[in-house]
Amino acid sequence: MKDIKSFIAKHVVDLPRSGIREFFAVAANMQDAISLGIGEPDFVTPWHIREAAIFALEKGRTCYTDNLGLRRLRNEIAKYVGKNYGIEYDPSCEILVGVGVSEVLDCALRAIINPGDKIMYHEPCFVSYSPSIKLCHGIPVPVKTRPEDGFSFNMDEVRKSWEPGCKAIVINFPTNPTGGVAEISQLRELAEFVVEKDMLVISDEIYSELRYEGGHVSIASLPGMKDRCIFMHGFSKAFAMTGFRIGYACAPKALIEGMMKTHQYAIMCAPIVSQEAAIEALLRGGPSMEKMREQYMRRRDFIVRRFNEMGLDCHLPKGTFYAFPCVKRYGMSSMDFAKTLLEKAKVAVVPGSAFGPSGDGYVRASFSTSYENLMEAADRMESVLKNL
Ligand SMILES: Cc1ncc(COP(=O)(O)O)c(C=O)c1O
């Protein structure tokens, strides 16, 4: 028999493993380390949502659902998206419920990419975008974002990065890992550009409720954009429901139909218990979400102030639960900086290079941890950085 590894498809062999996982394997084995590396809420899912899941089980709700998701859930999603984002979708055919934004993103990419198609996205970005495009035999086309633009996209960069064959652009505001947001004027410019180039937009709005200054606007709500947008959202972040694995996409019927094929054959449907919990989140989850948002904001103000005081240049993230300070003045790669910090201060942050080459020179520090942990982490970092 040949070497077992030679059975793995070439495009899979070529994919690197996530930089975050590798780094945190080291951090996990260290005693007393404080992790600012976490990419999920430190809050447990609000009780009334957990209770809805338990009640669903008690009622014996243990079957498959419609491939698109429970109709009651799709109705509530349509109401939520209509009310909060100003976009009307038909729950009978324009909404697909999946296993997190991760899955609906994969379905969208698989639905639209022919081998060799190019997909743009702004970078630094969520670790999955580039690999997910490559897994569909697409070509990733990153667009650099910069702190001087608040890590929003810059239209000159978008135009410079565009190449013939670009079929869609993935956007994510507020952005993981930078906390960048896009203002409505910028979204209008981007909308004009995608119309000019006749592209689709995949808009990952998973952090949209966690916007601290200004209101969130979805590009899909701008005139004429709904027809060329796949709006994606989920319950993981704002509702603290990562383990429920539930998310959704809203898009024109033909696109949902295309995405449904992957979803139907690969997944069948999202777990019914999670779908029942998601209905409860949409119906009554607002106040508990607001309380978590207030905590994140208080922690953000603290940690960003402390970073700047200790000499780590850090722009104010206007959304998400991530700060993205610059570490260039220490003259090392972000991986070496993160390793040094872990070793000497026992504080774990994620090297910015895990979010694409343009993330090098930065680290991601999550403030999804207690205020006390943040205070302790800041003290430890300050005493180590003084001597670097
Ligand atoms: C920008 C972004 N999109 C999508 C996801 C995945 O979300 P889900 O849990 O809904 O799959 C994450 C998770 O970290 C994220 O940061």
Side-chain angles (χ1 to χ4, degrees):
M1 186 181 157
K2 324 184 259 196
D3 176 5
I4 192 77
K5 284 192 195 146
S6 67
F7 285 89
I8 310 284
K10 174 145 182 2
H11 68 292
V12 176
V13 172
D14 290 347
L15 275 186
R17 282 175 44 176
S18 160
I20 299 191
R21 294 226 168 274
E22 276 177 26
F23 188 74
F24 279 92
V26 181
N29 292 326
M30 189 174 265
Q31 294 246 307
D32 305 328
I34 297 180
S35 180
L36 307 184
I38 209 105
E40 61 179 320
D42 58 319
F43 299 104
V44 72
T45 308
W47 169 242
H48 67 106
I49 299 175
R50 284 181 278 151
E51 201 175 32
I54 295 166
F55 191 42
L57 280 173
E58 277 181 355
K59 284 187 293 185
R61 303 276 288 155
T62 55
C63 51
Y64 293 133
T65 70
D66 188 298
N67 295 130
L68 288 176
L70 287 172
R71 182 57 198 256
R72 278 186 307 123
L73 175 55
R74 283 181 281 138
N75 288 346
E76 291 310 322
I77 290 170
K79 281 191 220 158
Y80 187 81
V81 174
K83 180 167 165 235
N84 295 300
Y85 302 85
I87 324 161
E88 301 300 326
Y89 288 104
D90 178 350
S92 72
C93 59
E94 292 185 323
I95 297 176
L96 169 69
V97 176
V99 182
V101 168
S102 306
E103 196 235 334
V104 289
L105 172 70
D106 183 50
C107 290
L109 295 172
R110 290 213 232 177
I112 66 169
I113 295 178
N114 288 313
D117 283 344
K118 295 172 185 164
I119 307 290
M120 302 175 83
Y121 54 91
H122 51 98
E123 193 203 85
C125 65
F126 178 43
V127 290
S128 290
Y129 294 158
S130 170
S132 300
I133 295 164
K134 287 183 184 159
L135 283 170
C136 296
H137 305 279
I139 301 171
V141 179
V143 180
K144 247 193 207 166
T145 59
R146 303 174 306 193
E148 51 271 39
D149 302 316
F151 287 106
S152 184
F153 59 84
N154 172 307
M155 274 317 292
D156 292 339
E157 283 291 332
V158 175
R159 288 191 178 276
K160 235 173 32 196
S161 309
W162 180 86
E163 298 169 19
C166 282
K167 197 168 198 176
I169 181 163
V170 181
I171 62 171
N172 167 230
F173 296 110
T175 309
N176 172 14
T178 60
V181 298
E183 302 304 341
I184 187 162
S185 53
Q186 295 173 300
L187 292 175
R188 283 200 188 107
E189 279 186 82
L190 183 66
E192 263 173 43
F193 174 78
V194 298
V195 170
E196 177 193 320
K197 301 295 185 195
D198 203 8
M199 288 162 68
L200 296 176
V201 181
I202 298 177
S203 187
D204 175 350
E205 316 220 4
I206 194 159
Y207 294 98
S208 53
E209 290 93 347
L210 301 178
R211 166 111 197 215
Y212 308 113
E213 277 86 22
H216 175 80
V217 175
S218 170
I219 193 167
S221 68
L222 299 183
M225 289 309 287
K226 186 188 153 189
D227 292 344
R228 56 172 77 241
C229 277
I230 305 178
F231 171 98
M232 290 182 180
H233 201 354
F235 296 83
S236 290
K237 311 293 174 173
F239 291 102
M241 290 175 66
T242 46
F244 282 87
R245 308 306 306 124
I246 193 104
Y248 54 91
C250 307
K253 183 178 173 185
L255 290 175
I256 291 291
E257 191 60 36
M259 291 168 65
M260 232 273 280
K261 291 185 186 163
T262 301
H263 176 71
Q264 181 173 52
Y265 294 125
I267 304 288
M268 189 97 85
C269 65
I272 187 168
V273 171
S274 300
Q275 294 193 49
E276 292 284 0
I279 294 173
E280 174 64 20
L282 292 177
L283 287 176
R284 281 171 285 274
S288 33
M289 180 218 287
E290 187 49 34
K291 278 190 198 134
M292 293 188 269
R293 205 183 72 87
E294 279 165 15
Q295 289 300 315
Y296 293 134
M297 193 166 162
R298 178 170 167 257
R299 297 165 180 182
R300 174 200 70 158
D301 291 345
F302 168 77
I303 199 67
V304 171
R305 176 174 58 76
R306 290 287 274 118
F307 281 160
N308 283 305
E309 280 169 3
M310 70 179 82
L312 276 180
D313 272 348
C314 185
H315 82 113
L316 188 72
K318 290 190 179 160
T320 72
F321 36 66
Y322 308 114
F324 203 60
C326 180
V327 299
K328 289 180 186 167
R329 60 184 289 206
Y330 298 99
M332 34 178 140
S333 71
S334 56
M335 179 56 97
D336 287 342
F337 179 89
K339 281 183 182 158
T340 306
L341 205 63
L342 185 59
E343 210 175 280
K344 300 198 166 156
K346 294 196 173 176
V347 172
V349 293
V350 184
S353 49
F355 306 99
S358 55
D360 202 15
Y362 298 84
V363 293
R364 189 188 77 177
S366 165
F367 41 91
S368 177
T369 187
S370 70
Y371 204 82
E372 292 67 34
N373 270 351
L374 288 175
M375 289 196 293
E376 172 66 21
D379 289 346
R380 288 188 193 182
M381 285 172 72
E382 187 168 27
S383 59
V384 166
L385 295 184
K386 267 200 298 232
N387 301 314
L388 270 193

